[in-house]
Amino acid sequence: MEVIRKWPFYLKLTCTLLSIICLTFISIIGKGILVPLILGFLISILLAPVCAFFERYLRIPRAISSIITTLLFAAFILGIFYLIAIQMAEIANEWPTFQKQIIEAFMNLQDWIHHTFGVNSHAQMEYLTKNVKTTIETSTIVIEKVISIVSSMAVTVLFTFLYIVFLLIYRRHLVKFLYYAFNSNTHDQVYNVITSIQKMVKQYLIGLFLQMLVVSILSFIAFSILGLKYKFVLAILTGVLNVVPYVGIVISLIITLIITFATMSASKLFFVLIAFIAIHAIDGNVVMPKIVGSKVKINSLIVIIGLVIGEMTWGIMGMLLSIPILALMKIVFDNVTELKPWGYLLGDEDSTEIDDDLNTFLAKKKAKKSKKKTNKLDENLE
């Protein structure tokens, strides 16, 4: 390490950039393995106390308790989606009403085009007929893409739950490996890293839940003011989908616009769009950085950069995992002396400690600057 410190800046910068490029390349190539593994790692940390409870108090073998814990978590997730599906089924029961409203809106649109642009209904239908083939071909491509995404997500979910089971089974074995991989004089640092990661993961997941709750409440208030039908279901759906950054809010917006268009006047669509823009602005600038970002002690600039890089690397899942990955990196950086500057870069200015020598240097510079200002003020008074 002392030799590395003596390297010139350009050499250290070159090594840093090469390391980043190699890690990015490996993450892109290993997306199919890394995404479910990291997701399973985060969830397994959350479920570890439940699994330990079964082992300690109910005397259930570790393998069975791990499977039971994973199944309970899967049932909880499926229960949430089942409740949403029930509410959506009630909306689907009113499809005849939606269809009638859409037909009436289409006829009104035809009349408006006829009176505004002088294009009669026959010409409009002829134009639609000419473009229907292209639309069908485009729709086929979209459907194929959706099927591909759904199948990929299904494989990811399956492997995620498998990783959860095996990580819960071998969690103590993996912890012992971490101690065994480092010298005995660094075991305290390893312990600090492990406990910090456990605490961070729990706080991050709590932050996600709070974000979901806040967005749902904001959506319910906005929908109530606008008088939307099914405002409760739409608010819950908006909060749940908002867990997926950017994409989730767009999907919930489309669903809300369709239901609003089918159950109310078309004039409400503009106000719904404004409401979603306001909710997304509050979530992106206040809720996400302050509630979720603060739980992992990552500054807002790094959070935004991480979301962009995560989307470019792993897509939607990359956006979901970018914040906890950054938090894991910060924990490691803060506990390795040579990497502490990078930990300071990732963290907030007020919540991240810096080196004593740097503190002393900055204090001297500040005192010197204040002294110069005082002397200049005295000269002006004279």
Side-chain angles (χ1 to χ4, degrees):
M1 291 299 178
E2 293 295 332
V3 176
I4 296 177
R5 288 183 178 179
K6 296 179 181 179
W7 285 1
F9 174 76
Y10 66 86
L11 184 57
K12 290 190 287 186
L13 178 61
T14 303
C15 292
T16 302
L17 293 176
L18 288 175
S19 300
I20 294 174
I21 292 171
C22 291
L23 290 175
T24 303
F25 179 75
I26 293 172
S27 64
I28 294 174
I29 298 299
K31 175 183 176 181
I33 299 175
L34 294 176
V35 170
L37 180 60
I38 295 174
L39 191 60
F41 170 74
L42 297 175
I43 297 175
S44 64
I45 290 177
L46 182 66
L47 299 179
V50 180
C51 189
F53 173 82
F54 288 142
E55 295 173 14
R56 184 177 304 172
Y57 296 101
L58 302 182
R59 303 296 181 181
I60 299 177
R62 186 181 303 172
I64 299 176
S65 63
S66 300
I67 296 174
I68 293 174
T69 303
T70 305
L71 290 177
L72 289 175
F73 175 75
F76 173 75
I77 299 298
L78 289 175
I80 294 176
F81 283 101
Y82 177 73
L83 292 176
I84 296 175
I86 291 176
Q87 299 296 325
M88 295 300 293
E90 294 181 3
I91 298 176
N93 290 333
E94 296 195 16
W95 172 248
T97 305
F98 296 166
Q99 190 177 18
K100 181 180 177 181
Q101 182 77 6
I102 291 172
I103 292 174
E104 291 179 356
F106 180 73
M107 297 299 293
N108 293 332
L109 180 61
Q110 279 189 324
D111 293 337
W112 179 80
I113 293 175
H114 176 66
H115 290 95
T116 305
F117 301 102
V119 182
N120 57 36
S121 300
H122 177 72
Q124 296 177 38
M125 293 303 297
E126 185 179 353
Y127 176 78
L128 292 175
T129 303
K130 289 180 179 179
N131 290 275
V132 70
K133 183 178 180 180
T134 305
T135 303
I136 293 174
E137 292 176 356
T138 305
S139 301
T140 304
I141 295 173
V142 172
I143 292 173
E144 291 177 355
K145 187 68 175 178
V146 169
I147 293 174
S148 175
I149 293 174
V150 170
S151 60
S152 176
M153 290 294 294
V155 172
T156 301
V157 170
L158 176 62
F159 277 99
T160 297
F161 280 103
L162 288 176
Y163 283 133
I164 292 172
V165 172
F166 288 107
L167 285 171
L168 288 174
I169 293 174
Y170 295 104
R171 63 185 187 276
R172 293 187 179 91
H173 184 75
L174 294 174
V175 171
K176 290 178 182 178
F177 161 75
L178 292 177
Y179 283 113
Y180 191 59
F182 295 93
N183 296 327
S184 58
N185 56 354
T186 61
H187 284 175
D188 288 335
Q189 290 179 320
V190 175
Y191 174 80
N192 291 333
V193 170
I194 294 173
T195 54
S196 298
I197 288 175
Q198 291 176 337
K199 182 179 178 181
M200 180 278 301
V201 170
K202 294 175 183 178
Q203 289 182 339
Y204 173 70
L205 294 177
I206 291 173
L208 279 183
F209 175 78
L210 291 176
Q211 182 192 19
M212 191 189 311
L213 183 63
V214 170
V215 172
S216 297
I217 293 174
L218 291 175
S219 302
F220 181 77
I221 293 173
F223 298 162
S224 299
I225 294 174
L226 295 175
L228 300 187
K229 199 174 182 180
Y230 306 111
K231 54 183 176 291
F232 179 76
V233 181
L234 293 175
I236 296 298
L237 192 64
T238 302
V240 172
L241 291 176
N242 192 67
V243 174
V244 183
Y246 303 111
V247 177
I249 198 75
V250 173
I251 295 174
S252 59
L253 171 61
I254 293 173
I255 295 174
T256 305
L257 288 176
I258 293 173
I259 294 177
T260 303
F261 180 75
T263 57
M264 304 182 71
S265 61
S267 60
K268 288 284 186 179
L269 298 179
F270 175 76
F271 296 103
V272 171
L273 180 61
I274 295 299
F276 266 88
I277 292 174
I279 292 169
H280 183 63
I282 295 173
D283 176 53
N285 295 284
V286 179
V287 180
M288 182 71 178
K290 298 299 181 182
I291 295 181
V292 180
S294 64
K295 295 297 181 183
V296 294
K297 301 185 184 302
I298 303 294
N299 68 68
S300 301
L301 174 62
I302 299 299
V303 169
I304 298 299
I305 295 174
L307 289 174
V308 174
I309 296 176
E311 194 279 332
M312 294 174 62
T313 306
W314 290 343
I316 297 175
M317 294 304 299
M319 299 176 73
L320 281 173
L321 297 176
S322 60
I323 297 178
I325 289 175
L326 287 171
L328 292 174
M329 292 170 59
K330 185 180 184 304
I331 291 172
V332 174
F333 292 166
D334 288 342
N335 286 273
V336 178
T337 304
E338 291 75 15
L339 298 176
K340 281 187 176 181
W342 293 97
Y344 178 79
L345 176 64
L346 298 180
D348 289 325
E349 187 175 2
D350 297 330
S351 62
T352 307
E353 296 182 358
I354 58 178
D355 189 85
D356 291 337
D357 293 337
L358 181 57
N359 263 327
T360 304
F361 171 78
L362 294 176
K364 289 181 179 179
K365 286 294 182 181
K366 187 176 181 180
K368 188 175 181 180
K369 188 175 181 181
S370 300
K371 186 176 180 181
K372 286 183 178 181
K373 288 184 178 180
T374 303
N375 294 335
K376 188 174 181 179
L377 181 60
D378 293 339
E379 291 176 0
N380 292 334
L381 291 175
E382 292 176 357

